[in-house]
Amino acid sequence: MNIYTQAQIMSALCPRDAAALIAEGFIAHANGRVQLPQVQSFQFPASNGDCCVKSAWMLGDEVFSVRVSAGFYDNPAKGFSSNGGLTLIFSALTGQPVALLRDGGWLTSMRTALAGQIVARAMAPSQVRGIGVVGTGDQARMQLEHLMPVTACRRLTVYGRNRQGLEQYCEFADALGFDVVATQDAKDVATNSNLIITATPSREAIIANEWVNPGTHITAIGADSFGKQELDVRLVARADVIVVDSIEQCCQFGEISGAFKSGLIDKGSLVALGSVLSGHAIGRQDDTQITIADLTGLGVQDAQIAKCAVASLAH
Amino acid sequence: MNIYTQAQIMSALCPRDAAALIAEGFIAHANGRVQLPQVQSFQFPASNGDCCVKSAWMLGDEVFSVRVSAGFYDNPAKGFSSNGGLTLIFSALTGQPVALLRDGGWLTSMRTALAGQIVARAMAPSQVRGIGVVGTGDQARMQLEHLMPVTACRRLTVYGRNRQGLEQYCEFADALGFDVVATQDAKDVATNSNLIITATPSREAIIANEWVNPGTHITAIGADSFGKQELDVRLVARADVIVVDSIEQCCQFGEISGAFKSGLIDKGSLVALGSVLSGHAIGRQDDTQITIADLTGLGVQDAQIAKCAVASLAH
């Protein structure tokens, strides 16, 4: 078994190759060609932490993966990062462990950012006149970085609750070459942008229905567990197309689960991202539609990005 | 993160300490003090393999564990052992990985053997006049070894289908100091023994109801997944006490699941092993009862034996 450190993994991974493999994973999942056992979850209330285990095997693949991701939100005071994670890769031919990727959570951030890129490529309006980002954390940064290959638009409106976080995000985006409007009024994001990414741990809607213009695409990243929400349920109900990484998972706890559980949308109206990527389903039909993508995170993304990293590292 | 090899783990683990911790795990589980997410399972039909991920956290513990166990039954021809496995230990305070135990499956065998020991200590008749073992594989050997501290009885009847396997088992048991009767008629096991262990991958009953004498205890180890069975369902229905490691799991796919699904027994009649160990439930009441224990294997056993190994290894 080869063991790799975060530094090795970060320097070896090719984001373009990883995105291609992740897209392939979404397609395989939509086609029922992935063994994806129920996610295992732990809650550690006394230490303000949680952990999940996501495992996946793409049928026919020579390897399968077991990913352990942890979030311990009091860690910074203890000198550790809040997020942690590692992936084990096993042979699907013999069961032997092949590799341990000690990425410390980076691979989860990266596969999430690349899923955002994949969705934007498939669903963004033909002319992006402004990018909107809700949130100023690490994932909000990585989303922006990985949107850059998808669109030439460099107009950005970023919303954050915290003034200091907002200033730091502006510096970051400015260095990437964006014209940045920073705001503490989320309505500005909707007004200025037709490609919006929400990446916060919010538990209530930040984007109101009435703010959003026709022709907008929104990718909601934040709602990755029960109780999280970033969009008005009426906005979800109003969307012309809703694309999801996993129909089952998104109805359970994704961004759209609120609208689903209230009966505002039904399961049959949801489109699997993999089906859009394979051409079996239609994503955006024209530049007047409001489209929403709900990404909750799948084990097959973890498997695919890990495979990509191992392929580079083994050479 | 400390990484330990199978040889290190085998030389460090104290079976008595491990048994005590595993018993504590069964009690915590019966008391609802274990987070035990749904087991993840993979099937790899093309390579005749399967894999499961069992994770567990005993509430309040400083660590939690993720265990990956694999069985690839064509491996011997490829130069690998059929069974494989490793355990990751994480801090429940920070989520950081603490240890990786690369035991190659040995810890699963060991915690299963020790569960057999724990059950025998709790449930065997007061006078063991003969031990019966059904099966001649590695687990059948380990069960016998770990029964030795429980009873002074050294009369053994062993049943196997394969003559060569039976001969080798006899040599093994003889070297341990047993008077051995080897048989290819499973009835002899029931006739000669009042403490019986079944440890085969059988998919049909080996022990018939009418062979079993009053006062016998049987621990059924083999049925650890759907479709496996070693005991006549009428024997299960006839038992005075049925003890299980997990009521839910045993009703799903354990030895007793056939009788449960046919309506011959009901869930309310099952006794959790942990409840017997803690004194909250009664196991065997007298030496005329037939008792059956069904062990399907719990993540908390993996967590407890791994903790025990790490505690020895870290010194």
Side-chain angles (χ1 to χ4, degrees):
Chain A
M1 177 166 62
N2 294 309
I3 300 177
Y4 302 108
T5 65
Q6 180 173 352
Q8 285 176 297
I9 296 162
M10 289 177 75
S11 65
L13 190 86
C14 167
R16 197 182 48 206
D17 292 353
L21 278 171
I22 290 169
E24 191 186 286
F26 283 128
I27 292 171
H29 176 252
N31 290 343
R33 292 190 295 107
V34 181
Q35 283 189 21
L36 202 66
Q38 176 88 24
V39 176
Q40 296 183 334
S41 298
F42 290 102
Q43 299 295 327
F44 306 98
S47 39
N48 193 19
D50 53 52
C51 177
C52 71
V53 183
K54 290 181 173 171
S55 306
W57 179 51
M58 236 167 74
L59 301 193
D61 230 343
E62 289 197 0
V63 294
F64 66 99
S65 73
V66 176
R67 170 86 181 157
V68 185
S69 299
F72 280 72
Y73 307 100
D74 298 341
N75 266 3
K78 300 173 187 168
F80 298 108
S81 155
S82 290
N83 293 311
L86 53 76
T87 301
L88 283 159
I89 305 282
F90 295 88
S91 165
L93 306 176
T94 65
Q96 302 293 303
V98 173
L100 169 60
L101 299 171
R102 297 197 57 194
D103 59 279
W106 183 77
L107 283 175
T108 297
S109 302
M110 193 66 178
R111 61 87 158 149
T112 305
L114 292 174
Q117 180 190 77
I118 290 164
V119 161
R121 220 181 271 282
M123 302 295 293
S126 60
Q127 295 294 322
V128 179
R129 58 181 175 78
I131 295 172
V133 170
V134 175
T136 60
D138 288 342
Q139 185 55 223
R141 291 181 184 222
M142 290 177 77
Q143 287 289 335
L144 188 65
E145 286 171 337
H146 293 285
L147 279 181
M148 294 178 72
V150 178
T151 170
C153 174
R154 294 294 177 266
R155 293 188 57 222
L156 172 70
T157 306
V158 57
Y159 162 83
R161 289 192 308 178
N162 176 285
R163 188 173 298 273
Q164 194 190 349
L166 206 45
E167 280 169 14
Q168 287 169 349
Y169 195 95
C170 287
E171 284 171 35
F172 156 80
D174 183 70
L176 291 178
F178 282 89
D179 281 333
V180 190
V181 175
T183 180
Q184 291 193 292
D185 182 350
K187 187 180 179 184
D188 296 335
V189 170
T191 306
N192 297 346
S193 321
N194 62 346
L195 174 58
I196 298 175
I197 313 292
T198 64
T200 74
S202 180
R203 296 185 159 267
E204 55 191 25
I206 301 173
I207 302 282
N209 177 33
E210 52 272 23
W211 300 343
V212 174
N213 295 310
T216 300
H217 172 77
I218 305 175
T219 300
I221 305 284
D224 59 356
S225 61
F226 288 95
K228 294 189 182 172
Q229 183 188 359
E230 301 180 288
L231 309 181
D232 190 336
V233 289
R234 290 170 303 151
L235 174 56
V236 173
R238 175 181 159 212
D240 297 288
V241 183
I242 301 174
V243 168
V244 295
D245 52 7
S246 157
I247 291 173
E248 294 308 319
Q249 198 163 286
C250 289
C251 287
Q252 272 181 54
F253 60 73
E255 182 61 49
I256 63 149
S257 62
F260 172 72
K261 289 171 186 169
S262 322
L264 296 173
I265 58 171
D266 60 69
K267 211 177 262 195
S269 70
L270 303 174
V271 180
L273 174 53
S275 300
V276 174
L277 298 176
S278 68
H280 282 85
I282 296 170
R284 170 174 293 277
Q285 285 170 294
D286 62 55
D287 277 349
T288 67
Q289 289 188 314
I290 291 180
T291 57
I292 291 177
D294 182 7
L295 300 180
T296 50
L298 297 187
V300 69
Q301 293 172 256
D302 298 314
Q304 293 293 85
I305 199 167
K307 269 165 55 182
C308 188
V310 167
S312 294
L313 287 159
H315 290 305
Chain B
M1 176 167 65
N2 294 308
I3 300 176
Y4 302 107
T5 64
Q6 180 173 351
Q8 285 176 297
I9 295 161
M10 289 177 75
S11 65
L13 189 88
C14 167
R16 198 181 47 208
D17 293 353
L21 279 171
I22 290 169
E24 191 186 285
F26 282 129
I27 292 171
H29 177 252
N31 291 341
R33 292 190 294 105
V34 181
Q35 284 189 20
L36 201 65
Q38 175 88 26
V39 176
Q40 297 182 334
S41 299
F42 288 102
Q43 300 295 328
F44 305 98
S47 40
N48 193 18
D50 54 53
C51 177
C52 71
V53 183
K54 289 182 172 172
S55 305
W57 180 52
M58 236 168 75
L59 301 192
D61 229 342
E62 289 196 2
V63 294
F64 65 99
S65 73
V66 176
R67 170 86 181 156
V68 184
S69 299
F72 281 71
Y73 308 100
D74 298 340
N75 267 2
K78 300 173 186 169
F80 298 108
S81 153
S82 291
N83 293 310
L86 53 78
T87 301
L88 283 159
I89 305 282
F90 296 88
S91 165
L93 306 176
T94 65
Q96 302 293 303
V98 173
L100 169 60
L101 299 171
R102 297 197 58 193
D103 59 280
W106 183 77
L107 284 175
T108 298
S109 302
M110 192 66 177
R111 59 88 157 147
T112 305
L114 292 173
Q117 181 189 78
I118 291 164
V119 161
R121 221 181 271 283
M123 303 294 294
S126 61
Q127 295 295 323
V128 179
R129 57 180 175 78
I131 294 173
V133 170
V134 174
T136 59
D138 289 343
Q139 185 55 223
R141 292 180 183 223
M142 290 178 77
Q143 288 288 336
L144 187 66
E145 285 171 337
H146 293 285
L147 278 182
M148 294 178 72
V150 178
T151 171
C153 174
R154 295 294 177 264
R155 293 188 57 221
L156 171 70
T157 306
V158 56
Y159 161 84
R161 288 192 307 180
N162 176 286
R163 188 174 296 275
Q164 194 191 349
L166 204 47
E167 280 169 14
Q168 288 169 350
Y169 196 94
C170 287
E171 285 171 33
F172 156 80
D174 183 73
L176 292 178
F178 282 89
D179 281 332
V180 191
V181 174
T183 179
Q184 291 191 293
D185 181 352
K187 188 180 179 184
D188 296 335
V189 171
T191 306
N192 297 347
S193 322
N194 63 346
L195 174 57
I196 299 174
I197 314 292
T198 63
T200 72
S202 180
R203 295 185 160 265
E204 55 192 24
I206 300 173
I207 303 281
N209 177 34
E210 53 272 22
W211 300 342
V212 175
N213 295 310
T216 300
H217 172 76
I218 305 174
T219 299
I221 305 284
D224 59 356
S225 61
F226 288 94
K228 292 187 183 173
Q229 185 189 358
E230 300 179 288
L231 309 181
D232 190 336
V233 289
R234 290 169 303 150
L235 174 57
V236 173
R238 174 182 160 210
D240 297 289
V241 183
I242 301 174
V243 168
V244 294
D245 52 6
S246 158
I247 292 173
E248 293 308 320
Q249 199 163 285
C250 290
C251 288
Q252 273 180 56
F253 59 75
E255 182 61 47
I256 63 149
S257 61
F260 172 71
K261 288 172 186 169
S262 323
L264 295 173
I265 59 172
D266 63 69
K267 212 178 261 196
S269 69
L270 303 175
V271 180
L273 174 54
S275 301
V276 174
L277 298 176
S278 69
H280 281 85
I282 297 172
R284 170 174 292 279
Q285 286 172 291
D286 62 54
D287 278 348
T288 67
Q289 289 188 314
I290 290 179
T291 57
I292 290 177
D294 183 7
L295 301 180
T296 49
L298 297 186
V300 70
Q301 292 172 256
D302 299 314
Q304 293 294 85
I305 198 167
K307 271 165 55 182
C308 187
V310 167
S312 295
L313 287 159
H315 291 305

